[in-house]
Amino acid sequence: MAEWAGNGENNGKRTVLSVRDLTMHFPVKHGLFGQVSGHVYAVDGVSFSIREGETLGVVGESGCGKTTLGKTVLRLLAPTAGQIVLRGQDITRRSDRQMREQRRQMQMVFQDPYSSLNPRMPCGQIVAEPLEIYDLVSGREKDELVTSLFERVGLSADQKARYPHQLSGGQRQRLGIARALALNPSLIVADEPVSALDVSVQAQVINLLKDLQREFNLAYLFISHDLAVVEHISHRIAVMYLGKVVEIADKRALFSSPLHPYSEALLSAVPVPDPGAKRDQIILRGDVPSPINPPPGCAFHTRCPYVKDICRTEVPALQEVTEGHFAACHLRTSAAPD
Ligand code: SF4
């Protein structure tokens, strides 16, 4: 567990991001005077770390808090509690002015590249803009840097003069990646970056992200609802349910032997690329409960096929079950009676 919050080295790879007990609760207001009547428990005590050159995939159904987690890590939202350490510096409570330097190190790639790009700006200017804001380069040097970024992400130099609507969906996502790379970041938070793209284009963009990671030693927090996509790009995977991480492990360990019943159900729905192979799909009963009023005990107990009495009252802690493989389930601890 120490490595999660630490800033140490592992195989020579330094920790880029450490998140400890990160919590993001949104107040629910009502009435004329906006009285607070409750909270949305969007992110609830999440801990993990990501090293250089590593991708941590975050999966879960929509509404599980994974997008809020990404925004909170980037400090686009002010966390309710917890700690965010970026390259050894605690950025949890920094003001916007103090965050200016750290923002260079953390960039985001969005789900919908079209709505995240200024439609009135030529594509070259979109990539040049962050360089101008930080006053890093100017004149010919800036033009050359923008051209090299275009080429690196698979766009041609003559596309610098075009506008976002003149590009295809895949090209727009490449443009978004070029913009994210312009400031030479350490960490990229990619929130469903390929879910709006055709399957063939998805593979190209994923492969591009993997190549760039190798080249620039980037750390990725890769958020997706699609386990097949997450498996392709991630080194480790965190499974989220109702604002909490319920399992986190190396991707091979997670796919071969999931420890949490929710992960088991998600994995059973991933198509197997073998027409002869059979997999029994686990159908979960009911919907995800409201994050305003999560169930007591294990939040998954209303849908879990293995629920026991203890699950209805006691919150299972995220514990290391085998080396590097953590799960939050009473079935995996000695606390659960038969
Ligand atoms: Fe199911 Fe209980 Fe484990 Fe929750 S703690 S996942 S309800 S067995």
Side-chain angles (χ1 to χ4, degrees), residues 260-261 298 300-301 304 306 311 316 329-331:
H260 195 281
C298 172
F300 187 57
H301 86 249
C304 181
Y306 311 109
C311 307
C329 174
H330 291 306
L331 287 185

